[in-house]
Every structure is written in structure tokens, then in C-alpha cells.
Amino acid sequence: MTKKILAIALAILVICTSVFAQSISEAKHDPTVGMTVNGFVVDEISDFDMLGATVYEFQHLKTGATVLYVANEDTNRTFDIIFRTPTETDSGIPHVFEHSTLDGSEKYPSKALWFNVSYQTYNTYMNASTYPFMTQYPVASLSEDQLYTLTDFYLDSVFNPLVMTDKSIFDEEAWRYELESADDELTLNGTVYSEMLGATTRERKAGKNFDREIFPNSYAANDSGGNPDVIPEMTWEQIQDYHDKYYHPSNSLTILYGKFDNWKGYLELLDSYFSTYDKKEFDLTDYGYTPITGPVVAEYDFPVEASSDTEHSATVYYGFVCKDIDQDTMNKIDLMTTLAGDTSSVLMENLRNALPYGSFNVYIDFGGPETIVKFIANTVNAEDAETFKAIVDESMAKIAQEGFNPTAVDSIVAAYKLDIMLSGESSSVGVDMMPNLAYYWAGTGYLYGYQDFIDSIDNFQQWNDDGTFKDVISKYIINNDLNALVTTKAVAGLKEQKDAELAARLAEIKAN
Ligand SMILES: [Zn+2]
């Protein structure tokens, strides 16, 4: 009850702020649809109420590059440039490239610059991150002038990185052989190689194993971070080709978030980088992908040391391909999974009772070649897979008949909305929320997917009352044969075996 009152109070607060912010921003920022500014044309203007922002969509006339200027009164300004970067191999090319961009560019050759800048006053955030289908370069500052300089630095880094001409950057970031002295053993090293040795957990592998089964022969099975077993297959030439192929303005989205007095100057700066390119068409279709035609069941081993306790050391994915769905249906399924995944739901209650040692999750994922709904059980046993599947099937069938408990829905929605509102009010909205916009754009091709999703949140109760959730559960889960049940289990002793194989390979390389 207290939560609900707080949510309403916050709602009023947010509405007031947004009206205030809008009246100011309209006076100061006055691009109109069709207006051309510094090589760009204004394509569309819309409101993003939750952020009290007016969103200006610019298109670069020469390359077609899209720039979203999310204008409000927030002085923690954010610049973010995003490229759609398919994970064509399992060797981590997108990740190595992301690391390499921060090792110097033609205009800013110093490798130490990134480190030095990130400790400057006003700079509040500086990063780069690789996702399965996009790579983003966000930077934020309380000073508009400083952000301008950082934007120039970031743009030169992504378009003109020194790794294109300096192989030592590749050796440093990706992988290399090392030999201390002639008597020592040959070892493998490299920033990304070491990072991924640590990051390749059973949970991460389980996700990739599931993707491999539900999306046969697609890029989705590849780890954008890099599979340590395969990272040493990567070549410097592949990194260069990858840059030539995907780091192009026509394949980018740029977001400016916050209060900019000099937004025209930022467009001019972007134009100076974009204009050196010609417009290019990008076809990012995953042509190798061969969709499943019926249920798939698979099991994978995950290597752990001989001394490891393998009780409750399996991860089970059970997921469904949602054929040909539009943004609206995606939003319905997304909200449905929020309710199904809440601790109060019949599904979660039944899972807890049957597998008390497990932890469970359900969500929609549009990052692969098709949208899927995934149910995940972690810290269970491999033998539990069929039980897990049966409980999901039975519980979802029950929800498809009865709907979600309306009282529970009310409290889940109140908490959920509060959460969303608080994130819209935080001091780091730009770096927290702009990646969401980019994620929808890169995953679905639709620029306003995130705003649509936020707007759809008002429909929770209605969609529960009018049977919408029942319908999507029936169609996409209960009566959907396009599903996969994939188990990844820890196997004790396999790790030593794998390590010995690698050591033997390295010894052979050294001998030659
Ligand atoms: Zn990394």
C-alpha cells in the first residue's frame, strides 16, 4: 500500500517535471521536421514523457546515419555511438575490436589518453561495451564543452583506430604466445583472452549452448566476448576486415542525451567524420540460420576440476521461438513474462516447491534471428530438466486458463512502474537508458521500440483482464512446437583433461 502511494506521488512529480522541462526545451531547441542543419535533416520529432524529453531524429544526408537527440534539462549529458556488429565467429572479434579502439587513434595516438581522460573533472562515465549484435561507446560529462572534446576523441577512436595499422595493439588485446626463456613452457596471453577465461562460466556457456540448439547454424551460438578455446584462431586481418565492414556511419546510431546549447556544433562534428564515407546498404540477415521445425532436446558438458562438487551444478534452458511477431506482440509477451517471473506467480511457486535448490527466470529475448521466450533453471541437476519442463508446461497452461491473480498484478505493476520511474529520475539516465534505445534499434531495426515498450506498461491490468496474456501464452508457449530444452551440466575432471590438451598443443607449437 505504501509503495502504491509513493508510486502515485512520484507519477505526479514526474509529470510536473516533464511539463516544465518541455516548455523550456521547446523554447531553446527548435529544430522542425524537414529542417536541414550541418549536413543533417530533421526526420521526426516526438516526446519521451518518462524522461521529460523531446526526441529529435536526424538523418545524415550523405550517409543516412541516424542521430537521436534526446533533449531535456539533464546536465549529465551523454554521447553514445552504436554500431550493429553481428557475431560472425566464436573468437570474439567484436570484443577485441572494442578493446582496441581505446588504444589510440590517428588524431589521438596516445594509449594513455583514455585512462587520463577518465579521471578528469566533470567526466562522469566513459566506457565501451560489446553485445551479441551491437557495440556501443558511451561517454558522459557535466560539462558540455568537455563532452564535445570527448565526443571528438570517441569518434576518431571508432573511425580511425590505430589497430588498423599497428599489429602490436592486436597482440596486446587479443592473444599472443609468450615464452619467458627457452626452457620455459609456451603460454597464451592477451587482455581479451584472459578476460574471457574468467568470464566463461557455466551460466554463460549454457546460454550459448541453448542459442546453438534453438537457432541452428546462426551467429547466435557465437560468443561476442570470445570463446577462449577459439580466440587464438583470430587474426589481425580479421579485425581490420571487421572494421571495414561494420564501422560505417550508415550502420550506426548516435545518441545525444541531455541539455545541449550547442547541439548544432555536435552535428557539425559528427558530419565532419561521417562525410568522409559514402552511403552504404547494410544487409544483416543471418543467412546460415536454419530454423527448427519441432522440439529439440540436448545436453552439454561443462568442464570443472576433479575436486568440484557437482551437486546442483546444471543450468537448464527451455525456450520457444515466437514466429513472425510484431513490436506490439513483443510488448505483450514481455509484460507477460514479468508477471510469470514474479515470485508470487503460480509458475514460480510450483518451481520452488519441486526444485527448492534452484533459481528461476523467464524473459523475452529479441537478440537472435527470431524472438524467443526463455525459461531458465539454474543450480539444479541435469536430471531435473524434464521436471522443470513439465512444471513450466503445466503452470503456463493453468495461467493460460485462469489468467494472473489480479491482486498480485496490481502490486507487481506498482513496484515495476516505481522502478522504471526511479531509473528515469536517477543521476545517470543517459548512460543507463540510452543503451536500451540502442538495443531495440539494433535487435529489431525499429528506432522507437523502447519508447513503445515503456508506453505499453500502462496495459498490464487491461491485458490481464481482457485475455490478451492468455492468448499469447496459448499461442507462443502452450501450442508451440518450436521449442528447445537444453541442459548444461558440470562434469568433474574435464577441466584437467582440457588443460592437458592445451598444454600438449602449446608444447607441440614450441617444438616446431
Ligand atoms: Zn573486455
Side-chain angles (χ1 to χ4, degrees):
M1 196 62 199
T2 326
K3 250 187 186 169
K4 211 186 237 172
I5 293 168
L6 187 59
I8 293 164
L10 265 168
I12 293 166
L13 191 74
V14 169
I15 290 162
C16 295
T17 317
S18 69
V19 169
F20 177 66
Q22 235 164 287
S23 60
I24 292 176
S25 65
E26 271 164 20
K28 238 178 216 165
H29 310 286
D30 52 356
T32 49
V33 173
M35 173 183 176
T36 56
V37 193
N38 294 336
F40 289 85
V41 61
V42 182
D43 257 358
E44 199 173 323
I45 301 175
S46 57
D47 291 328
F48 196 166
D49 293 337
M50 186 181 72
L51 302 181
T54 304
V55 181
Y56 301 97
E57 179 189 335
F58 293 92
Q59 199 190 117
H60 189 237
L61 291 164
K62 187 168 179 224
T63 62
T66 303
V67 175
L68 276 190
Y69 170 28
V70 182
N72 63 11
E73 292 299 299
D74 196 341
T75 51
N76 192 5
R77 303 163 183 87
T78 305
F79 164 85
D80 194 0
I81 186 161
I82 303 101
F83 297 90
R84 290 176 297 183
T85 49
T87 308
E88 293 176 354
T89 70
D90 204 19
S91 60
I93 293 171
H95 188 190
V96 167
F97 190 82
E98 172 235 299
H99 273 243
S100 305
T101 50
L102 306 172
D103 287 329
S105 65
E106 285 171 17
K107 189 171 171 186
Y108 301 99
S110 164
K111 283 191 186 189
L113 193 64
W114 192 83
F115 187 76
N116 293 340
V117 166
S118 61
Y119 284 96
Q120 279 178 7
T121 321
Y122 303 125
N123 173 225
T124 56
Y125 190 81
M126 213 171 166
N127 211 340
S129 42
T130 309
Y131 297 75
F133 49 87
M134 71 177 209
T135 310
Q136 67 150 352
Y137 299 86
V139 55
S141 173
L142 293 167
S143 151
E144 190 174 339
D145 288 343
Q146 186 192 48
L147 187 65
Y148 184 89
T149 308
L150 294 174
T151 297
D152 187 42
F153 170 53
Y154 262 49
L155 287 170
D156 202 57
S157 299
V158 295
F159 287 115
N160 310 308
L162 287 186
V163 68
M164 296 299 282
T165 49
D166 182 352
K167 183 173 180 293
S168 74
I169 294 173
F170 170 80
D171 295 338
E172 176 76 25
E173 296 292 355
W175 69 274
R176 63 187 178 275
Y177 292 123
E178 273 185 354
L179 190 62
E180 293 275 319
S181 75
D183 297 334
D184 281 319
E185 285 177 8
L186 187 71
T187 58
L188 267 170
N189 224 317
T191 310
V192 166
Y193 179 74
S194 304
E195 183 190 329
M196 294 316 295
L197 274 183
T200 306
T201 58
R202 184 188 77 238
E203 286 80 359
R204 187 180 182 105
K205 272 287 181 196
K208 287 289 119 189
N209 292 338
F210 170 74
D211 288 343
R212 182 172 302 114
E213 294 297 331
I214 200 156
F215 296 132
N217 306 310
S218 82
Y219 294 154
N222 297 327
D223 192 324
S224 56
N227 171 357
D229 297 342
V230 192
I231 288 174
E233 291 174 11
M234 189 189 337
T235 64
W236 180 40
E237 288 71 24
Q238 282 180 316
I239 291 289
Q240 293 167 312
D241 291 346
Y242 198 76
H243 182 263
D244 288 344
K245 194 167 172 187
Y246 294 114
Y247 279 68
H248 187 289
S250 306
N251 187 39
S252 74
L253 169 67
T254 302
I255 301 177
L256 289 172
Y257 165 83
K259 179 186 187 325
F260 289 84
D261 291 329
N262 184 30
W263 56 271
K264 288 183 182 173
Y266 277 79
L267 290 182
E268 192 179 5
L269 179 62
L270 286 163
D271 179 54
S272 72
Y273 282 93
F274 292 174
S275 287
T276 60
Y277 294 81
D278 288 319
K279 188 173 184 166
K280 194 172 150 188
E281 293 300 329
F282 278 82
D283 176 7
L284 299 172
T285 311
D286 193 345
Y287 285 106
Y289 171 49
T290 46
I292 57 171
T293 53
V296 173
V297 178
E299 194 173 290
Y300 287 82
D301 292 341
F302 181 79
V304 293
E305 282 160 10
S307 59
S308 305
D309 178 6
T310 54
E311 173 98 3
H312 307 152
S313 295
T315 305
V316 183
Y317 273 72
Y318 180 35
F320 298 82
V321 179
C322 307
K323 275 278 171 214
D324 306 321
I325 67 166
D326 56 16
Q327 175 77 37
D328 188 45
T329 312
M330 254 171 62
N331 294 339
K332 288 170 180 165
I333 296 175
D334 203 337
L335 297 194
M336 181 278 290
T337 59
T338 300
L339 298 177
D342 189 80
T343 47
S344 68
S345 81
V346 170
L347 171 68
M348 289 298 152
E349 198 185 316
N350 291 345
L351 286 171
R352 274 197 308 272
N353 289 339
L355 306 167
Y357 38 81
S359 63
F360 311 99
N361 201 355
V362 49
Y363 60 91
I364 189 170
D365 183 351
F366 49 82
E370 298 191 78
T371 299
I372 49 177
V373 177
K374 312 172 176 182
F375 296 84
I376 304 162
N378 198 18
T379 61
V380 293
N381 296 313
E383 300 74 42
D384 296 328
E386 286 298 335
T387 308
F388 174 60
K389 176 182 183 297
I391 293 172
V392 170
D393 288 343
E394 284 160 24
S395 307
M396 294 313 287
K398 190 170 155 65
I399 298 170
Q401 283 201 325
E402 298 170 7
F404 293 98
N405 176 337
T407 319
V409 171
D410 286 346
S411 67
I412 296 168
V413 172
Y416 192 75
K417 284 190 174 178
L418 178 64
D419 229 37
I420 298 259
M421 275 176 212
L422 289 177
S423 58
E425 293 281 284
S426 87
S427 60
S428 53
V429 173
V431 292
D432 291 345
M433 307 209 38
M434 295 311 109
N436 297 341
L437 262 75
Y439 199 76
Y440 272 84
W441 165 76
T444 69
Y446 179 47
L447 197 51
Y448 296 95
Y450 184 60
Q451 284 99 313
D452 270 16
F453 168 70
I454 294 291
D455 288 344
S456 80
I457 289 169
D458 287 332
N459 297 320
F460 263 116
Q461 278 100 341
Q462 190 203 320
W463 285 346
N464 193 42
D465 295 344
D466 68 11
T468 298
F469 289 142
K470 291 180 186 174
D471 291 346
V472 293
I473 294 170
S474 295
K475 182 169 179 190
Y476 295 103
I477 294 173
I478 308 300
N479 298 305
N480 186 356
D481 261 358
L482 304 178
N483 61 66
L485 179 71
V486 182
T487 305
T488 301
K489 66 174 200 292
V491 176
L494 263 190
K495 174 106 176 39
E496 285 85 346
Q497 204 178 306
K498 251 189 97 183
D499 289 349
E501 281 165 16
L502 176 63
R505 256 204 331 274
L506 289 172
E508 199 185 311
I509 292 165
K510 187 188 168 190
N512 291 323

